[in-house]
Amino acid sequence: MRLLPRHWRVEVLWCSTSGHVTPADQVAVLRPQDDALGIDRDAGSRLCRCLRCDDWINVSNPNQPESKFLPEPDQLPRPERGKALEETLVVRGIAVIRGLHCLFFSLTVIAIIIFEWGLPGLRDEAQTLVESAGSIAESSRPGNSLLVSGLQKLSDLDAEVALRLLGLALGYAILEGVEAVYLWRGKRWAEYLTVIAIATLLPYTIYALVEKVTVFRLVGLVLELAILGYLVWTKRLFGVRGGNPALERVIDEDTDWTRLHRSAPVRPLATPKSGHPD
Ligand SMILES: [Zn+2]
């Protein structure tokens, strides 16, 4: 499943924010066999190839090189690129959504505590915050009617129900926080956790939507289904489309490092580009 237009190169986008990966810019001497990674030019500069985006970057020769020669091919950097990098970008986008949900539920936990057991002077502000949280909860967890409706009428609920609401909000904050952190770090088990959590709550989400259609519930359902579909289909969870072995084979096709380390893309010798590799 390709989410970016074909003419967009995710490697260029990534390098523009994280910097290029140019091992040739930190060695004292470039040998003839290194010409796929870097080549000396006149006036103390050299062209260094980025191993992520394949661009050639014009840099000054290093004043304090880290080593005399480039390491052996199996010691060279192997940055993510191609399909692997595109998937990392999308999964990190999902992690950001989960992180925002975690922040929202954490604030809700604090607001419930202040409203029920906190300082009387802050009770009105906490009630306003909790009541507005009910609308956002409709898109974050539309299937949980207790949480969604309870937040909107907290002042009418007894302490026991408020305690259950607190437990739910805290549980979601922890779940979304764990998903956010470990999706960002690229852990496959976090992708499974995300899918299982969505699938478990999906019947309740659909029931809530059948009961009453709101924009928040509809947006929440569409977003959750899109995340579930993307993770299962593209990340090949639960053995779908050959599972993880098939996914690794596809990614390996983009990153044949033996070939990538030895074959140079066309060098722009006529009009070199300036840049600042990391
Ligand atoms: Zn680059």
Side-chain angles (χ1 to χ4, degrees):
M1 187 186 299
R2 188 178 178 88
L3 297 183
L4 296 174
R6 285 203 174 274
H7 62 279
W8 283 26
R9 291 190 57 224
V10 67
E11 294 88 353
V12 175
L13 180 68
W14 203 275
C15 283
S16 67
T17 56
S18 306
H20 296 287
V21 182
T22 48
D25 73 332
Q26 287 302 325
V27 297
V29 178
L30 288 172
R31 301 160 297 184
Q33 64 262 41
D34 299 328
D35 67 351
L37 300 171
I39 188 164
D40 286 317
R41 308 186 72 203
D42 296 334
S45 69
R46 64 176 54 161
L47 279 173
C48 299
R49 173 191 167 202
C50 173
L51 285 172
R52 183 188 290 119
C53 70
D54 269 343
D55 206 352
W56 286 94
I57 314 299
N58 190 46
V59 300
S60 302
N61 287 346
N63 293 326
Q64 294 180 313
E66 292 176 358
S67 59
K68 187 173 183 183
F69 300 120
L70 278 167
E72 294 302 310
D74 61 350
Q75 302 293 315
L76 285 166
R78 298 183 172 200
E80 281 190 326
R81 46 188 282 160
K83 190 170 180 57
L85 190 60
E86 185 175 312
E87 288 178 1
T88 296
L89 189 68
V90 176
V91 170
R92 287 196 171 181
I94 298 171
V96 168
I97 294 172
R98 284 340 202 197
L100 291 173
H101 285 181
C102 173
L103 179 65
F104 158 70
F105 284 116
S106 301
L107 290 174
T108 303
V109 166
I110 294 169
I112 293 174
I113 291 173
I114 291 175
F115 181 78
E116 285 292 332
W117 303 283
L119 301 169
L122 294 174
R123 204 163 186 268
D124 288 344
E125 288 78 4
Q127 183 178 1
T128 307
L129 184 60
V130 169
E131 285 174 356
S132 8
S135 301
I136 304 175
E138 277 196 297
S139 59
S140 304
R141 292 292 164 188
N144 199 319
S145 56
L146 174 63
L147 183 69
V148 170
S149 60
L151 289 174
Q152 288 166 337
K153 53 183 181 185
L154 188 64
S155 56
D156 300 329
L157 303 177
D158 59 34
E160 188 182 332
V161 181
L163 201 59
R164 287 172 63 189
L165 282 184
L166 181 68
L168 278 172
L170 185 61
Y172 282 133
I174 294 170
L175 174 66
E176 304 266 11
V178 168
E179 288 179 20
V181 170
Y182 290 98
L183 282 174
W184 186 272
R185 295 171 67 175
K187 300 295 182 187
R188 193 161 173 83
W189 64 260
E191 296 167 1
Y192 276 104
L193 176 66
T194 304
V195 167
I196 290 169
I198 293 173
T200 304
L201 293 167
L202 202 55
Y204 301 99
T205 307
I206 294 170
Y207 178 78
L209 201 63
V210 169
E211 201 176 34
K212 184 186 175 187
V213 177
T214 69
V215 174
F216 284 111
R217 288 180 185 181
L218 202 56
V219 168
L221 177 64
V222 169
L223 188 60
E224 293 294 280
L225 284 176
I227 291 173
L228 185 146
Y230 179 84
L231 290 176
V232 171
W233 182 257
T234 306
K235 302 293 286 187
R236 305 181 189 225
L237 304 182
F238 304 103
V240 170
R241 299 168 65 215
N244 198 42
L247 178 63
E248 288 182 350
R249 276 198 301 277
V250 171
I251 288 174
D252 284 347
E253 288 171 12
D254 286 337
T255 48
D256 177 355
W257 286 107
T258 305
R259 176 179 60 80
L260 288 167
H261 284 153
R262 290 178 181 166
S263 59
V266 176
R267 296 185 200 94
L269 288 174
T271 54
K273 287 181 75 167
S274 294
H276 302 283
D278 58 4

